[in-house]
Amino acid sequence: MQNLLEEGGELYLSERYIPERPLFREKIIEKYLGYLRSFLVYNISGIVLFEGPTGTGKTMSFRFSEKTIKEKLKLDEIGGKIIYINGRDKTAIEVLHSLLTNLGISIPRRGFSFGTYVNELEYFLKNFDGHVHVCIDEIDRVGWRGEHSVEDLLYVLTRNERLSATIITNDFTFLKRIKDPRVRSSISVDKSIVFERYSKEQCYHILKDRCEKAFRKGVISDSVIWRLSEIIGKESGDIRAAITVLRLAAEIAAERGGGEITVEDINAAWRRFESSHMVEKINALEAGQKLVLSGAIYEKLISLRGRLGMGSIGMDTLRVKLNELEGYGVISCYRRGRGRGAGIERLYRLEIEVQSLLEALKRAPELYIALMEEVKRIVSEKVSVFRETL
Ligand SMILES: Nc1ncnc2c1ncn2[C@@H]1O[C@H](COP(=O)(O)OP(=O)(O)OP(=O)(O)O)[C@@H](O)[C@H]1O
Ligand SMILES: [Mg+2]
């Protein structure tokens, strides 16, 4: 692949690269810089919410703004601090711990109550002559474990004068799910910034810029970049996906020994991306959902749960879980009448390759071991339709 790339070109095909001039996000960034400035300079507290689908530039816009503000304001002189924490799979305590560590406070990661970490933070802020702004990325993934919820954490963030926050999510239901009215009202509507999916044209301009930096001259033509932009614009508007497909396409071209990336390489890369993406999607499901998915194929959900010591599951819960899986696009449901007075029948169909499901199961060893026999059977039978009468 090296002979397709410019010297150091990999950087432009990776997440590490922060664009010098992020396209189509100029207005958002300008507005956000205004908020950051008022937090840091005038010591105003508040929470900014970034929401929008995956790969629409939320993390990038934060990182870019952080860099800009650090260049423009002499944060050390005004006593300002900006801290970035990715909340994925952290407990509320782990986020607090990470914040404290970033502030230079050393305290063990475990062994203290939530209140102790909060007290440490409050003590620091009381004696601090400045303002702390914390960005918690993937806030919707905080508190899946642990005793304390993400709401407990957000409450702490709204309670301190010298503290403000940016929270980032790609889950549009996140705000709606917050019950505490004090927390809800402090994530004010006027400070929420919505990131839209990129259109085909926008994808093209962003990708064109990346390609010019990453590849040698003549390696990728405009029509090939357009083909990729068309796919992404139609499917998801997700630039991260586009960049990954670009990288895969370059690998495919290199494997073939070609000196340029063709439309066929892009098409093949997109197919490869889609199937591996499905594996990740299934992997991201919680164990209960994964099992229902497995059950959908094996028609033996209850006995499988029993074997895994998970106890039985009621019809209502099963239906909820099937709905969730439908929402994820992993299965589809077709409802049809069973004849007069006989109710309706739901037919569920697996919408993904059996191979992807197996791949995902392999990455969940606890399920894989327990389900080995069924997995073997399924490979031979290729069962993909499951009939369930509810
Ligand atoms: N406007 C843009 N110009 C150039 N590159 C961009 C732009 N928007 C996004 N990118 C790039 O696309 C990739 C994904 O963007 P980012 O990580 O900000 O997505 P996100 O909205 O945070 O997604 P997620 O919700 O999945 O975390 C990054 O490599 C980023 O640099
Ligand atoms: Mg992100």
Side-chain angles (χ1 to χ4, degrees):
M1 188 163 140
Q2 288 310 321
N3 61 337
L4 302 179
L5 291 169
E6 282 282 0
E7 187 93 9
E10 290 100 334
L11 173 69
Y12 304 101
L13 300 180
S14 84
E15 290 270 316
R16 273 182 303 130
Y17 173 65
I18 303 175
E20 280 144 46
R21 293 178 169 274
L23 296 169
F24 313 110
R25 295 293 179 243
E26 296 88 346
K27 284 211 184 92
I28 282 183
I29 290 172
E30 201 184 304
K31 188 166 155 194
Y32 180 59
L33 283 172
Y35 294 150
L36 274 184
R37 207 170 289 128
S38 63
F39 291 141
L40 291 158
V41 178
Y42 303 110
N43 201 11
I44 291 169
S45 58
I47 297 188
V48 181
L49 171 71
F50 280 10
E51 57 178 1
T54 191
T56 51
K58 300 181 298 295
T59 302
M60 183 277 299
S61 296
F62 171 77
R63 286 298 201 184
F64 178 85
S65 308
E66 179 191 29
K67 198 165 129 235
T68 310
I69 209 109
K70 280 183 174 164
E71 283 162 11
K72 285 205 175 140
L73 298 178
K74 301 227 158 26
L75 285 185
D76 285 343
E77 283 172 25
I78 62 167
K81 282 184 191 294
I82 303 185
I83 290 161
Y84 172 89
I85 298 168
N86 190 306
R88 175 179 282 248
D89 301 333
K90 288 199 171 70
T91 63
I93 288 186
E94 282 165 355
V95 173
L96 278 179
H97 174 263
S98 176
L99 175 56
L100 290 169
T101 311
N102 274 287
L103 291 171
I105 303 160
S106 87
I107 177 169
R109 256 183 78 178
R110 280 164 229 259
F112 294 102
S113 68
F114 185 75
T116 309
Y117 293 94
V118 174
N119 286 344
E120 282 294 319
L121 178 64
E122 284 177 348
Y123 183 77
F124 173 89
L125 292 169
K126 216 178 271 165
N127 295 294
F128 179 61
D129 187 21
H131 189 93
V132 176
H133 185 84
V134 57
C135 170
I136 308 176
D137 205 349
E138 308 197 39
I139 185 80
D140 49 292
R141 305 290 300 259
V142 173
W144 287 23
R145 292 181 293 117
E147 241 178 84
H148 293 273
S149 70
V150 67
E151 293 194 31
D152 298 332
L153 177 69
L154 289 172
Y155 183 62
V156 173
L157 299 181
T158 60
R159 279 289 301 267
N160 284 284
E161 266 181 19
R162 298 194 167 276
L163 187 62
S164 58
T166 298
I167 53 175
I168 305 182
T169 180
N170 54 27
D171 177 355
F172 273 104
T173 65
F174 177 72
L175 195 55
K176 287 191 205 105
R177 284 189 281 116
I178 291 182
K179 289 184 204 80
D180 188 332
R182 295 165 305 183
V183 174
R184 256 183 107 125
S185 67
S186 48
I187 308 175
S188 56
V189 183
D190 64 307
K191 281 209 182 59
S192 71
I193 299 183
V194 177
F195 288 69
E196 306 282 348
R197 294 171 196 281
Y198 290 114
S199 67
K200 175 173 94 179
E201 286 74 20
Q202 291 176 332
C203 284
Y204 168 78
H205 291 289
I206 297 172
L207 292 174
K208 170 100 179 143
D209 180 57
R210 293 272 174 139
C211 287
E212 275 170 4
K213 293 187 165 84
F215 297 114
R216 294 196 177 169
K217 264 206 162 59
V219 166
I220 189 161
S221 69
D222 252 12
S223 56
V224 175
I225 304 176
W226 268 117
R227 170 64 192 143
L228 176 56
S229 311
E230 211 173 73
I231 299 176
I232 299 296
K234 193 168 85 186
E235 295 289 336
S236 59
D238 171 354
I239 285 288
R240 183 184 300 109
I243 296 171
T244 308
V245 173
L246 205 53
R247 216 170 35 231
L248 283 173
E251 277 167 24
I252 293 172
E255 276 164 23
R256 175 168 64 68
E260 62 179 305
I261 299 170
T262 63
V263 166
E264 287 70 42
D265 296 330
I266 294 284
N267 292 341
W270 171 249
R271 284 195 298 274
R272 208 185 270 185
F273 171 80
E274 267 216 311
S275 67
S276 70
H277 192 60
M278 241 335 149
V279 173
E280 269 164 33
K281 220 162 153 183
I282 301 168
N283 255 340
L285 302 174
E286 39 127 328
Q289 290 171 328
K290 263 188 214 147
L291 253 195
V292 169
L293 181 58
S294 319
I297 304 169
Y298 308 136
E299 307 177 44
K300 286 165 82 181
L301 175 66
I302 306 299
S303 79
L304 290 177
R305 287 182 67 93
R307 210 182 312 163
L308 288 165
M310 288 175 80
S312 187
I313 181 175
M315 263 308 177
D316 285 344
T317 320
L318 174 61
R319 207 176 289 173
V320 168
K321 295 221 173 275
L322 285 166
N323 277 340
E324 282 168 7
L325 291 171
E326 202 184 344
Y328 284 114
V330 175
I331 57 173
S332 62
C333 176
Y334 168 63
R335 294 162 182 84
R336 68 171 182 207
R338 277 189 297 185
R340 215 195 299 188
I344 55 162
E345 182 177 60
R346 291 178 171 81
L347 293 176
Y348 290 94
R349 199 164 70 107
L350 194 60
E351 282 299 324
I352 52 169
E353 298 277 316
V354 171
Q355 213 51 44
S356 306
L357 177 61
L358 296 180
E359 199 49 46
L361 282 174
K362 273 189 207 154
R363 297 200 205 166
E366 74 289 359
L367 293 185
Y368 192 63
I369 293 164
L371 307 178
M372 193 92 89
E373 282 310 305
E374 281 79 2
V375 169
K376 281 192 198 135
R377 186 169 62 82
I378 215 150
V379 174
S380 56
E381 285 179 16
K382 289 235 161 61
V383 182
S384 65
V385 179
F386 154 68
R387 181 182 296 228
E388 198 233 347
T389 314
L390 293 175

Short mmCIF file of all heavy atoms in Angstrom, two decimals, residues 32 39 45-49 131-136 154 157 163-167:
data_model
loop_
_atom_site.label_atom_id
_atom_site.label_comp_id
_atom_site.label_asym_id
_atom_site.label_seq_id
_atom_site.Cartn_x
_atom_site.Cartn_y
_atom_site.Cartn_z
N TYR A 32 -19.67 27.42 19.00
CA TYR A 32 -19.14 26.68 20.15
C TYR A 32 -17.96 27.41 20.78
O TYR A 32 -17.85 27.47 22.01
CB TYR A 32 -18.75 25.27 19.70
CG TYR A 32 -18.18 24.43 20.82
CD1 TYR A 32 -18.92 24.17 21.96
CD2 TYR A 32 -16.90 23.90 20.73
CE1 TYR A 32 -18.40 23.41 23.00
CE2 TYR A 32 -16.37 23.13 21.75
CZ TYR A 32 -17.12 22.89 22.89
OH TYR A 32 -16.60 22.14 23.91
N PHE A 39 -17.41 30.46 29.06
CA PHE A 39 -17.17 29.60 30.23
C PHE A 39 -15.83 29.94 30.86
O PHE A 39 -15.73 30.18 32.06
CB PHE A 39 -17.11 28.12 29.82
CG PHE A 39 -18.42 27.53 29.38
CD1 PHE A 39 -18.48 26.63 28.32
CD2 PHE A 39 -19.60 27.85 30.04
CE1 PHE A 39 -19.67 26.07 27.91
CE2 PHE A 39 -20.81 27.29 29.64
CZ PHE A 39 -20.83 26.39 28.57
N SER A 45 -20.94 28.80 34.40
CA SER A 45 -21.13 27.35 34.32
C SER A 45 -22.24 27.03 33.33
O SER A 45 -23.03 27.89 32.95
CB SER A 45 -21.41 26.76 35.69
OG SER A 45 -22.54 27.37 36.21
N GLY A 46 -22.31 25.79 32.92
CA GLY A 46 -23.33 25.38 31.94
C GLY A 46 -22.89 24.12 31.23
O GLY A 46 -21.76 23.69 31.36
N ILE A 47 -23.84 23.55 30.50
CA ILE A 47 -23.54 22.32 29.76
C ILE A 47 -23.92 22.52 28.29
O ILE A 47 -25.01 22.98 27.98
CB ILE A 47 -24.31 21.12 30.33
CG1 ILE A 47 -23.86 20.85 31.77
CG2 ILE A 47 -24.09 19.88 29.47
CD1 ILE A 47 -24.41 19.58 32.38
N VAL A 48 -22.99 22.19 27.42
CA VAL A 48 -23.28 22.20 25.98
C VAL A 48 -23.46 20.75 25.56
O VAL A 48 -22.68 19.89 25.95
CB VAL A 48 -22.11 22.80 25.17
CG1 VAL A 48 -22.45 22.81 23.68
CG2 VAL A 48 -21.77 24.19 25.64
N LEU A 49 -24.49 20.51 24.76
CA LEU A 49 -24.73 19.15 24.26
C LEU A 49 -24.44 19.10 22.76
O LEU A 49 -24.94 19.92 22.01
CB LEU A 49 -26.19 18.77 24.53
CG LEU A 49 -26.70 17.48 23.89
CD1 LEU A 49 -26.10 16.26 24.55
CD2 LEU A 49 -28.23 17.40 23.99
N HIS A 131 -11.18 28.34 35.85
CA HIS A 131 -12.36 27.61 35.43
C HIS A 131 -11.97 26.29 34.75
O HIS A 131 -11.03 26.26 33.98
CB HIS A 131 -13.17 28.48 34.45
CG HIS A 131 -14.51 27.90 34.14
ND1 HIS A 131 -15.65 28.23 34.85
CD2 HIS A 131 -14.90 26.99 33.21
CE1 HIS A 131 -16.68 27.55 34.35
NE2 HIS A 131 -16.24 26.79 33.35
N VAL A 132 -12.71 25.24 35.07
CA VAL A 132 -12.44 23.94 34.45
C VAL A 132 -13.58 23.60 33.49
O VAL A 132 -14.76 23.64 33.87
CB VAL A 132 -12.33 22.83 35.53
CG1 VAL A 132 -12.15 21.46 34.86
CG2 VAL A 132 -11.20 23.12 36.49
N HIS A 133 -13.21 23.28 32.26
CA HIS A 133 -14.22 22.82 31.31
C HIS A 133 -13.91 21.37 30.96
O HIS A 133 -12.82 21.04 30.53
CB HIS A 133 -14.23 23.67 30.04
CG HIS A 133 -15.35 23.29 29.12
ND1 HIS A 133 -16.63 23.78 29.28
CD2 HIS A 133 -15.40 22.41 28.10
CE1 HIS A 133 -17.41 23.23 28.36
NE2 HIS A 133 -16.69 22.40 27.64
N VAL A 134 -14.90 20.50 31.18
CA VAL A 134 -14.66 19.09 30.88
C VAL A 134 -15.57 18.63 29.74
O VAL A 134 -16.75 18.96 29.71
CB VAL A 134 -14.85 18.21 32.16
CG1 VAL A 134 -16.22 18.37 32.77
CG2 VAL A 134 -14.62 16.73 31.84
N CYS A 135 -14.97 17.92 28.79
CA CYS A 135 -15.76 17.35 27.70
C CYS A 135 -15.89 15.86 27.95
O CYS A 135 -14.87 15.16 28.09
CB CYS A 135 -15.07 17.60 26.37
SG CYS A 135 -15.84 16.68 25.02
N ILE A 136 -17.12 15.37 28.04
CA ILE A 136 -17.31 13.92 28.19
C ILE A 136 -17.93 13.40 26.89
O ILE A 136 -19.09 13.68 26.59
CB ILE A 136 -18.17 13.58 29.41
CG1 ILE A 136 -17.59 14.26 30.66
CG2 ILE A 136 -18.23 12.05 29.60
CD1 ILE A 136 -18.41 14.07 31.90
N LEU A 154 -23.96 13.98 35.90
CA LEU A 154 -24.35 15.26 35.30
C LEU A 154 -24.78 16.26 36.37
O LEU A 154 -24.51 17.45 36.27
CB LEU A 154 -25.48 15.05 34.29
CG LEU A 154 -25.06 14.34 33.00
CD1 LEU A 154 -26.26 14.00 32.14
CD2 LEU A 154 -24.08 15.19 32.21
N LEU A 157 -21.87 17.95 37.67
CA LEU A 157 -21.32 18.93 36.73
C LEU A 157 -22.11 20.23 36.71
O LEU A 157 -21.60 21.27 36.32
CB LEU A 157 -21.28 18.34 35.31
CG LEU A 157 -20.44 17.09 35.10
CD1 LEU A 157 -20.49 16.65 33.65
CD2 LEU A 157 -18.99 17.34 35.52
N LEU A 163 -17.09 25.14 37.15
CA LEU A 163 -17.04 23.97 36.28
C LEU A 163 -18.12 24.08 35.19
O LEU A 163 -19.25 24.46 35.46
CB LEU A 163 -17.32 22.74 37.15
CG LEU A 163 -17.18 21.36 36.55
CD1 LEU A 163 -15.75 21.10 36.10
CD2 LEU A 163 -17.60 20.30 37.57
N SER A 164 -17.74 23.77 33.96
CA SER A 164 -18.72 23.67 32.89
C SER A 164 -18.38 22.43 32.06
O SER A 164 -17.32 21.84 32.26
CB SER A 164 -18.69 24.92 32.01
OG SER A 164 -17.38 25.09 31.49
N ALA A 165 -19.29 22.06 31.19
CA ALA A 165 -19.06 20.79 30.47
C ALA A 165 -19.61 20.81 29.05
O ALA A 165 -20.53 21.57 28.73
CB ALA A 165 -19.70 19.64 31.25
N THR A 166 -19.01 19.95 28.24
CA THR A 166 -19.58 19.62 26.93
C THR A 166 -19.84 18.13 26.99
O THR A 166 -18.97 17.38 27.42
CB THR A 166 -18.56 19.90 25.80
OG1 THR A 166 -18.25 21.29 25.81
CG2 THR A 166 -19.12 19.51 24.44
N ILE A 167 -21.04 17.75 26.60
CA ILE A 167 -21.30 16.31 26.55
C ILE A 167 -21.66 15.95 25.11
O ILE A 167 -22.32 16.72 24.42
CB ILE A 167 -22.39 15.88 27.55
CG1 ILE A 167 -23.66 16.70 27.38
CG2 ILE A 167 -21.89 15.99 28.98
CD1 ILE A 167 -24.82 16.23 28.27
#
